[in-house]
Amino acid sequence: MTLAAAVPHGFLSPTGVEIAFLLVGLVTFGAALVTVTTRQLVHAALWLVVTLGGLAVEYLLLTAEFIAWVQVLIYVGSVVVLLLFGLMLTRAPIGRSPDADSGNRWAALTVAVAAAAALVWVVVDAFRATWIDLDGEPAGTTRVTGESLFQNWVLPFEALSVLLLAALVGAIVLSRKAKADATAAASPRTPGPRPDGGGSPDRARGAAGADQEGAR
Amino acid sequence: MHLVYPAVLSALLFCTGLYGVLARRNAILVLMSVELMLNAVNLNLVAFDVWLSRTAEETLHSGQALTLFTIAIAAAEIGIGLAIVLAVHRNRGTSDIDKLRDTAEGPDKDGPDSGALAARKADDQAGEKAEATA
């Protein structure tokens, strides 16, 4: 605040970092728009890569290096791959799918434009004269982030590991339960190319799965 | 750098994600839009953390720590969400959110019947799929 009062920074003479931020921001926002409007499902995932990569560049421009590389590793590296796997496992059509958007898209457009107008107005009005000083030592090097994370945020960090474990177990349970259902439904009508005894462990497993579900 | 640039970009990205959540029909596209909204929040957190670490000399770096936590929680969320979508797809044969209306209270009175029909159809499909794999 005092910095902004001492050295006035105008919007009409942007610095190089600001110009780079603006250009990358335009690319990011355009890719996000294509992500939510394209009718080809796989292309939506690929444009999401552009959006997340652009955000990583924005983090680098804000001198938050560690966050930027974590963004590249986790989002671009794993989340998008998970989404692509999900698209392929649910047999998404490769070409244009005409029913990608639901019927209430105009209501959604109204809500989104109204929210964007209100948020942008409030944010611009509040932080018009605020200046981030990006010179000097970077604010988010690995050393700084690691020190703050393991000195001040150790307990939330450990709690987060428990949450990740819970999510892992939850994902396993969710996919395993459906498989037990399928086995239970399939085993009574399985034709017997196998010998007679072959069907019984399958059926027993299905019954065991049903029992487990009942216990749950 | 003016704080307005990252703040406005994050607001715009958030509203883009909001539009996607409301307008998309495929469940995985809805998950992508949720990721967009989470990333907008992350950008806001990082920008304000960089600003506050300079002007207020705040050394906790709470914004960056919260960003890391948000990224981890988003990764967990996408895993669980995709597991749920795949389970629904395996049982119903669709990942279309508009068709999952079993608990809707509508003017039609055949709610339980159609639910039983859907369950029977799901059983048939699961049986066929298991036979195909066996």
Side-chain angles (χ1 to χ4, degrees), chain B residues 5-82:
Chain B
Y5 290 114
V8 166
L9 178 64
S10 106
L12 289 177
L13 278 181
F14 185 85
C15 293
T16 313
L18 183 65
Y19 169 77
V21 167
L22 291 179
R24 287 302 205 175
R25 187 174 272 176
N26 192 316
I28 295 180
L29 291 180
V30 172
L31 282 178
M32 283 185 205
S33 307
V34 172
E35 291 300 310
L36 272 182
M37 294 166 84
L38 284 168
N39 270 285
V41 174
N42 284 348
L43 179 62
N44 229 345
L45 283 172
V46 169
F48 277 86
D49 177 74
V50 173
W51 172 50
L52 284 178
S53 69
R54 290 303 160 83
T55 53
E57 308 214 337
E58 185 249 13
T59 53
L60 269 179
H61 283 291
S62 42
Q64 296 192 33
L66 282 177
T67 305
L68 287 174
F69 295 161
T70 315
I71 288 175
I73 290 174
E77 171 252 330
I78 205 80
I80 294 287
L82 277 178

Side-chain angles (χ1 to χ4, degrees), chain A residues 87-126:
Chain A
L87 278 178
M88 287 167 191
L89 284 177
T90 56
R91 296 192 193 143
I94 294 296
R96 299 167 64 86
S97 55
D99 57 347
D101 289 334
S102 74
N104 52 7
R105 56 182 300 196
W106 293 110
L109 191 64
T110 312
V111 169
V113 168
L119 276 178
V120 168
W121 177 49
V122 169
V123 160
V124 167
D125 201 32

Side-chain angles (χ1 to χ4, degrees), chain A residues 66-146:
Chain A
F66 184 67
I67 305 282
W69 300 125
V70 166
Q71 167 98 359
V72 169
L73 276 178
I74 293 185
Y75 273 111
V76 183
S78 71
V79 166
V80 173
V81 173
L82 264 183
L83 283 170
L84 280 173
F85 263 110
L87 278 178
M88 287 167 191
L89 284 177
T90 56
R91 296 192 193 143
I94 294 296
R96 299 167 64 86
S97 55
D99 57 347
D101 289 334
S102 74
N104 52 7
R105 56 182 300 196
W106 293 110
L109 191 64
T110 312
V111 169
V113 168
L119 276 178
V120 168
W121 177 49
V122 169
V123 160
V124 167
D125 201 32
F127 300 109
R128 206 169 24 200
T130 309
W131 180 261
I132 308 178
D133 191 15
L134 288 179
D135 299 331
E137 187 189 351
T141 55
T142 310
R143 180 189 181 89
V144 171
T145 312

